[in-house]
Amino acid sequence: MAIGPIQLIARATSAQRRTLLAAALGWALDAFDSMLYALVLALLMRDLGMSKTAAGSLGTLTLLASGIGGMLFGFLADRIGRKQALMASILTYSVCSFASGLATSIAMLAVARFVLGLGMGGEWNTGAALVAESWPTELRAKALSIVQSSWALGFAAAALVAGPVSRAYGWRAVFFVGILPAGVTLWIQRSVPESEMWRGQVSPDAVREGHLPKSPLLANAARSEAPGGVGADLTSYVSTGTIFRPPYLKHTLALLLFNFFGLFAWWGLFTWLPPYLSLPVEQGGRGFSVMGMTTLMVVLNLCGMFPGYLSFGWVADHLGRRKAFVLYSIAAALLIPLYAAARSAGVLLVLGALVAFFGTGIFSGSGIMGSEIFPTAVRARALGFTYNGARALSALAPLVIGRVGEVKGLNWAFYLCAAGYLLAAVTTTQLPETKGKRLE
């Protein structure tokens, strides 16, 4: 029998609910801090004298850093634990959001946004690995969709804060608010348990007695001569290169490309959507006031992104992972050209919510499928590479869309985002169907 989000949470254990809340809070606050830049971008362009190309370049720099951060924190999560790496990533992006408000030049802002990107990239894969390893197979997809949906809540919160705070105190105060997520790490340290699957993937005593782990990857590692001798921590010597060899290579590349095309489209569209709505019509925008833009963005998040993220797990459990990917990707590709042609606030509101529903919902599937493809020993690194590596590859999206927007207009540039979603749909043909698979 199908169950809803409330019943899902009610069926979980106390420890599972706390891991879910920790990952969801981390992802929501990641969205809050990272999207503050887009929401005050028009003010930054005015006060720091940035062109659209320069503004897009800073967005590109942050995304590039997120790819590095995904691998860095993925390594830490596989080595020292999911919980500790999650806390470190939250602290990184919170402190650097505050530092962005201290910037007096484009160069200072660029440094702060780059380091923020490292933390932004590290949160997703550490939180996804923690939840995937803590929840049972039949509930995993739905739990990860709840985590992913929290991005929309963070984005909406950022829009609610950025509008009034920037009007009253300026854009610097908006970035100063970004330090607040750091406080969440105190609760995580005290109340959130570490992944038992990560802790128990191999016991030194069990290896000495000849009991090998169930994962073929870890069993082979345990048989081989590892640094530190028999019983050493296997995650410290199961090479990252494992995901680039059979049987994982094809799926690693396919998931990387799927995420790349989808993220190019998403960051290209949603980095430029706030300035697109708020810039004067003669500059290629739609001429909404700051508060009008804020209202549109909040509705877009709560009525589009949030249910889109949340619904994907249920759709993926019903149709299968691949069919859900294709459905959401093609729907987004078809809706974006209609959105780019819209003029009235009402049409922009309805079409924007639909684009956000399908265009963001697909990313719930990345954590679901990635967790089911890769084994525990390399899961956080594999998720970091396929998702945040794709973020790094898609780092040119804000720059490309900004540059094309200068030449052709932002509405025309958004057609490139539609093409990205279409290519993401094509790439899903190379991914395996993992519905019902138990984690290794």
Side-chain angles (χ1 to χ4, degrees), residues 14-86:
S14 174
Q16 288 167 347
R17 285 193 289 269
R18 278 178 278 139
T19 59
L20 183 72
L21 180 59
L25 279 174
W27 192 228
L29 297 171
D30 188 326
F32 180 85
D33 276 353
S34 61
M35 296 312 298
L36 290 177
Y37 174 78
L39 291 163
V40 298
L41 187 53
L43 299 177
L44 285 169
M45 292 169 64
R46 182 196 66 194
D47 291 354
L48 298 182
M50 289 195 294
S51 65
K52 289 179 182 176
T53 300
S57 297
L58 289 189
T60 291
L61 188 66
T62 303
L63 291 179
L64 182 62
S66 74
I68 301 171
M71 289 301 293
L72 172 63
F73 284 95
F75 173 80
L76 289 175
D78 283 339
R79 189 68 181 272
I80 67 172
R82 305 344 188 176
K83 174 179 168 179
Q84 299 301 323
L86 178 64

Side-chain angles (χ1 to χ4, degrees), residues 393-414:
L393 291 174
S394 67
L396 288 175
L399 176 60
V400 169
I401 299 303
R403 180 59 181 162
V404 174
E406 278 192 323
V407 177
K408 295 281 190 177
L410 284 173
N411 57 335
W412 195 95
F414 288 159

Side-chain angles (χ1 to χ4, degrees), residues 24 32 43 86 105 121 142 146 149 171 275 298 351 357 393 435:
F32 180 85
L43 299 177
L86 178 64
S105 67
K142 297 179 180 68
I146 290 175
S149 70
W171 59 265
V298 170
L351 286 177
F357 181 95
L393 291 174
K435 178 183 174 182

